[in-house]
Amino acid sequence: MLRLLLVVAMAAVTAKVYDDPAANQILLFKDKTSGPISIMTTSAGAPIEYKEATVTLNERLIFNEYFMDSMTHLVRERIPERLVHAKAGGAFGYFELTHDISDICKAKVFNGAGKKTPIAARFSPVVVERGGIDTSRDARGFALKFYTEEGNFDIVGFSTPMYVYKDPLLFPTFVRAQKRNPATNLIDPNMLWDFLTLRPESLHMFLLVFGDRGVPDGYRHMPGFGIHTFQVVNKHGDIHFIRFHFRPDAGIKNLRSREAMKLAASDPDYATRDLYRAIGNGDFPSWTASIQVLSEDDVKHAGFDVFDVTRVLPLDKYPLRPFGRFVLNKNPVNYFAEIEQLAFNPANLVPGILGGPDKVFEARRLAYRDAQYYRLGANFINIPVNCPFKNKAFAYNRDGQPPVKDNQKDIPNYYPNSFNGPAPYKEKGKVELVEVYQDQPDNYGQARELYENEMTPEERTRLVENILYSLGPATKFLQDRAVKMFARIHPDLSERIWQGLQVNRTSIPYYSSWDD
């Protein structure tokens, strides 16, 4: 009887494991193959004999090609990780246009209700390294690549509707302030709070980071935002400006601090696992895509800089206009090939979408391209996951670090030429990206609106606790500077943080007052 119960229990455990594609991927591979899929070979394709693959003792290593091939490759397997957004989950699927928006944008991907376009998505904490945790208190990247018939279109967005700074000159400072102290190699709250209190426009976004929305409950419940105000043009040459919003159809859900802390210890890959498992089980996550639309006249009479990425555009003034949804229904077959090498660039635009006229967008056009050159080489666009596979690319770029694919075969490699090489198209009434004047940022008002009218009393309490956990270990003059800065946002916020600092708690006890 005991043996029977044990067999039943083991069968139940096995069945539960098989319901989890993330935990059981390698067993599923075994089930769908009848035996070794092939004779083992070297990278050059030569078959490997059994003895070479199993023992090297008392043999000459340099003549064992399996040893030489695998050992020399092993020490070259890692490429430079991203400076930010190093860790990520990702998947593939399609975008379906539910509402034609050709009245404002001539891009073919957004013309013709019912049209489906293949997409790739990558979700990523900003600060943690590649081996870090998924449940850090942090903003998240929300990047989409549309493989359109006119080339690839990338939206390199965030989980927050606003960004940290208005002047791209601050990017190196912002990144380094959140990364490790160069002397101690530790995350240093003095560095972070020095930046935040010197650049108070950053507090608009960081109120969300320190609030309930700072730790999403997996990527399936995380919203996304384009953050920039994109300029678009229709076939008549009429100009409009839009901001992208992506809301998860399963609802926005977030983790409380204590739950996030527990998951950091028990399942540091929580969000990545949850996404893979859901897709593997056929529970395909989806997001509704909407835009806020502004005319040229709206921009002129807005009363504020609508291109300021540290601000949100008020929804009551510029309501959301739904135009589509995207579904993720395919997990990567090989993570490194398809997600780690997935390269985004805000400069990947298509006719009808001119990008953002703000300086942060302009700087990202340089920074993202340069980062991919550094990480993946000059021909990163030839890596399959980055190829514009819905149309063929005809560039004049040649040679360089592989992959070069067919290297454009025998096509002339310079332009202009007289020998029938690729030629540019001519656009009648071509519209240029507008030039805008941007003043200095000042977003205390929007941060005050967020604290006063968008947070419940309970959310404010948790916000204060999370700020205290981060600010508590910082040096006193930074604490004092932060209290003064918070007073400009709201006196209640400043007073509560000041009171919390007076308790003189150490960093660890801050956990004890967090919600269960």
Side-chain angles (χ1 to χ4, degrees):
M1 183 65 178
L2 181 59
R3 180 177 296 178
L4 177 61
L5 290 174
L6 182 60
V7 170
V8 171
M10 290 181 66
V13 170
T14 301
K16 184 176 181 181
V17 170
Y18 269 78
D19 286 340
D20 186 348
N24 206 40
Q25 180 276 325
I26 201 164
L27 294 176
L28 293 173
F29 177 84
K30 181 180 180 180
D31 286 349
K32 68 182 181 182
T33 52
S34 58
I37 61 171
S38 174
I39 295 293
M40 188 174 168
T41 75
T42 66
S43 297
I48 295 173
E49 195 274 328
Y50 177 79
K51 184 180 178 182
E52 284 190 338
T54 54
V55 63
T56 63
L57 298 178
N58 303 313
E59 302 288 341
R60 299 183 70 179
L61 295 179
I62 199 169
F63 291 146
N64 184 325
E65 188 54 26
Y66 168 70
F67 170 81
M68 294 295 290
D69 187 39
S70 58
M71 183 63 74
T72 54
H73 188 280
L74 175 66
V75 297
R76 293 165 173 81
E77 282 185 359
R78 294 294 173 260
I79 63 173
E81 69 174 48
R82 290 168 168 86
L83 177 65
V84 287
H85 303 281
K87 186 181 186 186
F92 302 89
Y94 63 89
F95 170 80
E96 180 178 8
L97 188 70
T98 56
H99 299 76
D100 184 287
I101 59 171
S102 58
D103 59 315
I104 63 169
C105 181
K106 68 179 181 181
K108 292 181 180 179
V109 63
F110 298 144
N111 282 229
K115 175 181 286 189
K116 291 185 178 180
T117 301
I119 65 164
R122 189 178 187 273
F123 311 117
S124 53
V126 175
V127 179
V128 298
E129 289 94 349
R130 189 156 54 190
I133 61 172
D134 281 352
T135 55
S136 61
R137 182 163 297 280
D138 195 359
R140 264 92 179 148
F142 192 108
L144 301 176
K145 185 181 293 290
F146 297 75
Y147 299 98
T148 88
E149 59 199 284
E150 298 178 294
N152 291 351
F153 169 50
D154 293 356
I155 298 178
V156 193
F158 270 75
S159 62
T160 57
M162 76 293 283
Y163 193 52
V164 187
Y165 50 78
K166 187 173 183 176
D167 191 332
L169 189 65
L170 293 170
F171 179 63
T173 301
F174 174 62
V175 170
R176 290 167 181 159
Q178 291 189 96
K179 290 292 187 176
R180 297 180 181 275
N181 182 307
T184 64
N185 199 39
L186 298 171
I187 301 297
D188 192 332
N190 288 316
M191 295 163 58
L192 173 62
W193 282 97
D194 192 29
F195 175 86
L196 295 180
T197 54
L198 287 173
R199 304 304 308 192
E201 71 266 27
S202 63
L203 258 296
H204 188 204
M205 189 182 94
F206 269 82
L207 285 187
L208 292 185
V209 172
F210 288 123
D212 282 0
R213 286 176 268 185
V215 189
D217 187 0
Y219 298 128
R220 295 185 298 130
H221 297 288
M222 184 176 80
F225 305 88
I227 69 172
H228 299 278
T229 302
F230 287 71
Q231 181 180 337
V232 295
V233 60
N234 64 17
K235 64 181 180 181
H236 305 296
D238 301 321
I239 293 174
H240 288 82
F241 301 91
I242 63 175
R243 277 206 186 185
F244 291 98
H245 295 244
F246 304 96
R247 186 178 181 88
D249 293 329
I252 296 174
K253 295 181 182 178
N254 301 290
L255 296 171
R256 300 287 171 81
S257 297
R258 184 175 294 277
E259 187 176 8
M261 182 180 68
K262 290 178 180 177
L263 283 169
S266 64
D267 188 3
D269 302 310
Y270 171 77
T272 305
R273 188 186 316 280
D274 176 72
L275 179 66
Y276 191 101
R277 178 184 291 159
I279 295 173
N281 284 330
D283 182 14
F284 303 137
S286 63
W287 284 257
T288 295
S290 303
I291 49 176
Q292 290 177 282
V293 182
L294 292 78
S295 66
E296 289 185 88
D297 194 58
D298 289 331
V299 171
K300 292 175 182 176
H301 298 96
F304 62 94
D305 180 4
V306 303
F307 303 107
D308 183 348
V309 293
T310 67
R311 298 185 65 98
V312 297
L313 305 185
L315 290 171
D316 57 348
K317 192 173 182 180
Y318 314 107
L320 292 177
R321 174 178 169 178
F323 72 100
R325 67 190 291 262
F326 74 87
V327 179
L328 299 181
N329 60 6
K330 180 180 178 294
N331 278 317
V333 176
N334 182 281
Y335 180 89
F336 181 86
E338 298 177 279
I339 303 301
E340 184 64 25
Q341 293 192 122
L342 183 56
F344 294 92
N345 185 353
N348 286 344
L349 302 167
V350 293
I353 305 175
L354 284 69
D358 61 276
K359 285 299 176 184
V360 170
F361 191 92
E362 184 178 345
R364 294 178 88 192
R365 292 183 68 141
L366 165 67
Y368 279 69
R369 184 195 310 275
D370 194 47
Q372 310 306 349
Y373 283 152
Y374 168 67
R375 295 181 59 250
L376 303 172
N379 290 304
F380 71 87
I381 199 67
N382 288 331
I383 296 171
V385 75
N386 298 320
C387 289
F389 64 82
K390 290 270 286 189
N391 70 334
K392 182 170 173 55
F394 287 95
Y396 278 97
N397 297 326
R398 295 290 191 281
D399 307 341
Q401 180 179 330
V404 298
K405 301 185 77 174
D406 63 15
N407 208 28
Q408 297 291 326
K409 296 185 177 179
D410 57 352
I411 299 172
N413 69 343
Y414 62 94
Y415 176 82
N417 64 77
S418 306
F419 303 100
N420 298 330
Y425 79 102
K426 295 181 180 180
E427 181 175 351
K428 186 178 180 180
K430 177 175 170 57
V431 174
E432 301 289 347
L433 187 68
V434 300
E435 291 189 20
V436 297
Y437 171 80
Q438 293 195 281
D439 54 12
Q440 293 298 313
D442 181 12
N443 289 298
Y444 287 114
Q446 285 213 328
R448 185 179 308 112
E449 172 73 16
L450 175 61
Y451 184 78
E452 277 187 342
N453 299 323
E454 296 186 40
M455 290 185 174
T456 66
E458 294 78 14
E459 288 175 327
R460 292 177 197 161
T461 296
R462 290 189 290 268
L463 168 68
V464 169
E465 290 292 341
N466 292 331
I467 290 175
L468 287 172
Y469 177 73
S470 176
L471 181 60
T475 192
K476 186 176 183 302
F477 84 84
L478 292 176
Q479 293 177 346
D480 294 341
R481 199 158 74 189
V483 168
K484 292 179 181 178
M485 180 188 65
F486 284 122
R488 296 189 63 180
I489 295 175
H490 200 284
D492 173 70
L493 176 61
S494 177
E495 176 64 20
R496 294 172 73 173
I497 289 173
W498 183 82
Q499 292 286 355
L501 291 171
Q502 303 317 300
V503 177
N504 196 28
R505 294 174 294 187
T506 61
S507 59
I508 297 300
Y510 285 128
Y511 282 115
S512 63
S513 59
W514 285 356
D515 50 277
D516 289 317

